[in-house]
Amino acid sequence: MSTRLMNTPNNYPYTHGWGVYPQLPTELGKRRRSAKNLLGFIDATPGVKPSDWRFATGILELAFRSVAGESSRDWFTLANRLGQPSRSLAHEIHKHLQQLKDLDPRSKEAGHVLGLLDDLALPDMLQYFRESTSEENPRPTDIREGWCHVLWSHETPDRVLVGAVHGTPLEVISVLDHQTPETCHGVLAAWHVEDPDWAASQIVRTFGKPLDQVGLMQLSTSKGIPGIKMLTENAIWKTIVKSPWHAEVTELCHDDPADDDPYFASGAAI
């Protein structure tokens, strides 16, 4: 899973997202329809309308942009339903979709870009999304155990909760919300690790503080976020589980244009 320096939460979840909200029905419907149509273009399915090309590619471009930048309130839910692509992989797909929407679907250029997207496992992700959001028989999302978390709440926007546990971010947030019903918690960053116990020991070693009974410690954003970045790039990096999709994509760098785009200015990676 890709990582980068996280921006400090600003206590405006509806603007920059908490990463734990379900997708709005209107957004889900547009994304499902767009996934079906783009798969139809890729497979040359009879009956797919050329007029649906720009709408489908535009909707999916925004969806992958949201996952890459973790910049919408439902980015975590959306990422799970796409099969948990890394930030760097989602960013690469977003760039190709941005180019694709301005091309004629019957052109050689569009065929070339679709070939690149096939190499990046986009058809697999779109099919996974359709199956995981099916109303009749939804496929359960593959959220594996063993995660590092960086969580935050609207009550203490200047502090973050950091830890590594045998449990998903949604399970940890559920426990926290149950303990303090008056406070809402959200995902600032989350990534899979093969050995959460070892990752937790590295967090304790780095910050010199014990973990609470949930497996978290509270840190100031000014001191904690640089330390978390160091951990993910060095010690914990050895155990981070990469995206299940087969594409190998260069990690986002700090001078990437996305870092200057406000749409991308919310968090680390999943």
Side-chain angles (χ1 to χ4, degrees):
M1 301 294 175
S2 60
T3 58
R4 72 166 183 170
L5 182 63
M6 293 163 287
N7 287 359
T8 305
N10 65 2
N11 205 16
Y12 292 99
Y14 287 96
T15 302
H16 292 291
W18 287 27
V20 294
Y21 283 86
Q23 296 177 89
L24 295 174
T26 52
E27 290 297 313
L28 179 59
K30 288 189 294 185
R31 289 166 178 169
R32 280 185 54 81
R33 187 164 66 253
S34 297
K36 178 181 178 180
N37 286 336
L38 189 55
L39 285 171
F41 283 113
I42 293 172
D43 298 335
T45 302
V48 179
K49 301 177 182 177
S51 58
D52 291 332
W53 172 260
R54 188 171 177 83
F55 178 83
T57 53
I59 291 297
L60 295 174
E61 176 212 346
L62 292 177
F64 279 93
R65 186 180 183 180
S66 171
V67 173
E70 296 174 357
S71 51
S72 69
R73 62 199 298 253
D74 66 348
W75 68 263
F76 189 80
T77 302
L78 176 58
N80 281 335
R81 288 179 166 179
L82 286 167
Q84 301 162 7
S86 66
R87 288 190 69 253
S88 56
L89 181 54
H91 179 62
E92 194 75 7
I93 290 173
H94 151 69
K95 289 195 302 182
H96 288 312
L97 288 171
Q98 189 177 40
Q99 177 186 5
L100 197 62
K101 69 179 182 181
D102 294 323
L103 299 175
D104 186 319
R106 295 157 294 187
S107 66
K108 291 184 178 179
E109 292 85 355
H112 174 67
V113 177
L114 286 174
L116 296 175
L117 287 169
D118 185 57
D119 291 340
L120 295 173
L122 176 65
D124 299 334
M125 294 182 203
L126 296 183
Q127 187 58 38
Y128 189 99
F129 181 79
R130 295 196 66 214
E131 293 173 0
S132 65
T133 57
S134 169
E135 292 183 4
E136 296 79 19
N137 186 26
R139 170 180 180 170
T141 53
D142 180 25
I143 304 182
R144 292 156 289 173
E145 290 190 355
W147 287 75
C148 280
H149 316 289
V150 183
L151 311 176
W152 61 287
S153 74
H154 76 281
E155 193 171 63
T156 55
D158 59 336
R159 304 189 70 80
V160 291
L161 293 169
V162 181
V165 299
H166 292 272
T168 73
L170 298 182
E171 291 170 342
V172 174
I173 285 176
S174 177
V175 171
L176 294 174
D177 285 346
H178 179 74
Q179 290 179 345
T180 55
E182 69 283 357
T183 302
C184 292
H185 297 84
V187 177
L188 181 59
W191 55 93
H192 289 297
V193 288
E194 293 178 340
D195 188 346
D197 294 329
W198 185 85
S201 71
Q202 300 305 300
I203 293 173
V204 171
R205 179 181 177 184
T206 298
F207 295 105
K209 296 177 62 175
L211 301 174
D212 63 18
Q213 60 181 4
V214 179
L216 304 170
M217 69 170 63
Q218 191 174 97
L219 300 170
S220 68
T221 53
S222 60
K223 295 181 180 179
I225 286 178
I228 295 162
K229 180 178 180 292
M230 179 191 70
L231 279 172
T232 57
E233 290 184 345
N234 296 289
I236 292 179
W237 182 257
K238 299 174 184 177
T239 190
I240 288 178
V241 179
K242 295 183 179 180
S243 170
W245 304 112
H246 57 266
E248 290 291 337
V249 181
T250 303
E251 297 294 337
L252 283 170
C253 59
H254 295 302
D255 58 355
D256 191 284
D259 290 334
D260 299 323
D261 187 336
Y263 204 96
F264 284 81
S266 174
I270 179 172

